[in-house]
Amino acid sequence: MWFDILPSFWEGTKITIQLTLFSAVIAFFLAFLAGFGRLSKIKAIRFLAATYVEIFRGTSLFVQLFWIYFALPLLGIMLPKMLAGVLALSLNAGAYGSEIVRSTIISVPKGQTEAAIALNMTPWQRTWLVILPQALVMMLPAFGNLLIEMLKGTALVSLVTLADLTFVATVLNSSIMRPTEIFSVLLVIYFVISLPFTRGIRWIEHRLSGGRY
């Protein structure tokens, strides 16, 4: 039965969860940094933010991971497997997340900004007290989807021999040759990991929207 192979997945599960959480935190900050950068009035900042976004959205996460882990050492920069995985995932997700931030901020009705100006609010107050709270609620569903994509993207780190769930399943299958059971268990574990993420995002969205959704 498949119960006998479950313990083999424990360490891989921990690595996958750590990768997802670390990458998500960094990607969140990168998304806001680049998203606000795209909206900056300073041309140089807009250019730098747009360059970062286009590079990491326009290239494959697979290639980015390989470049960070295998190409950077040629430049004298050696990164541990975990750090390389986190860096690739967060840079990639941050680029996609920045577009979520930028588009939702733009979508906040202009009347809200005009009302804030009429109340003599400073630009900082308008952004943090009026625009961002409304935009954040609209961002959450898209950020939830991005988080699940990051979880699935962690499977790529197995290609640099980081012992995540997919790596463990591949090694286990090569040793005992029970692909149906092994990859069925893998499928279930990924689903079980993703469930708290989706539920958590919905709970936060419900709280921030005052129960309207």
Side-chain angles (χ1 to χ4, degrees):
M1 290 294 291
W2 54 269
F3 294 102
D4 63 320
I5 63 176
L6 274 177
S8 303
F9 284 95
W10 175 240
E11 288 300 323
T13 301
K14 290 195 294 184
I15 293 293
T16 295
I17 293 173
Q18 288 172 3
L19 266 172
T20 305
L21 293 178
F22 292 155
S23 301
V25 171
I26 297 172
F28 181 80
F29 285 105
L30 287 175
F32 274 87
L33 192 64
F36 278 104
R38 296 288 301 274
L39 298 171
S40 174
K41 294 180 179 179
I42 302 173
K43 188 175 181 180
I45 294 177
R46 290 201 309 272
F47 174 78
L48 289 174
T51 301
Y52 157 65
V53 171
E54 293 306 320
I55 288 174
F56 283 93
R57 284 205 312 162
T59 56
S60 165
L61 175 57
F62 176 86
V63 175
Q64 292 163 18
L65 177 62
F66 265 58
W67 195 90
I68 289 171
Y69 188 69
F70 292 110
L72 284 182
L74 300 177
L75 303 176
I77 304 173
M78 302 285 292
L79 297 177
K81 296 172 186 177
M82 174 65 84
L83 181 57
V86 168
L87 192 59
L89 286 166
S90 58
L91 286 170
N92 184 271
Y96 283 96
S98 70
E99 286 300 290
I100 297 172
V101 173
R102 186 186 66 85
S103 60
T104 50
I105 288 176
I106 290 175
S107 68
V108 173
K110 290 185 177 180
Q112 299 291 321
T113 302
E114 293 169 356
I117 293 172
L119 292 171
N120 202 30
M121 286 186 172
T122 65
W124 186 92
Q125 290 174 319
R126 293 199 297 269
T127 300
W128 293 99
L129 301 179
V130 178
I131 298 171
L132 196 56
Q134 297 178 66
L136 190 59
V137 176
M138 294 187 284
M139 291 177 198
L140 282 174
F143 270 129
N145 290 335
L146 187 60
L147 181 61
I148 299 304
E149 288 299 318
M150 288 178 64
L151 171 62
K152 293 186 288 186
T154 60
L156 286 177
V157 303
S158 64
L159 299 173
V160 296
T161 66
L162 183 59
D164 74 315
L165 275 170
T166 302
F167 181 83
V168 169
T170 303
V171 172
L172 192 60
N173 184 57
S174 65
S175 62
I176 64 174
M177 297 300 293
R178 290 159 59 184
T180 302
E181 295 172 53
I182 290 170
F183 289 103
S184 294
V185 170
L186 181 65
L187 185 71
V188 171
I189 293 175
Y190 271 117
F191 174 74
V192 170
I193 294 173
S194 70
L195 201 56
F197 290 152
T198 55
R199 296 292 184 185
I201 291 292
R202 287 176 186 172
W203 181 82
I204 295 171
E205 182 183 3
H206 181 78
R207 294 282 294 181
L208 291 180
S209 63
R212 292 190 298 273
Y213 300 103

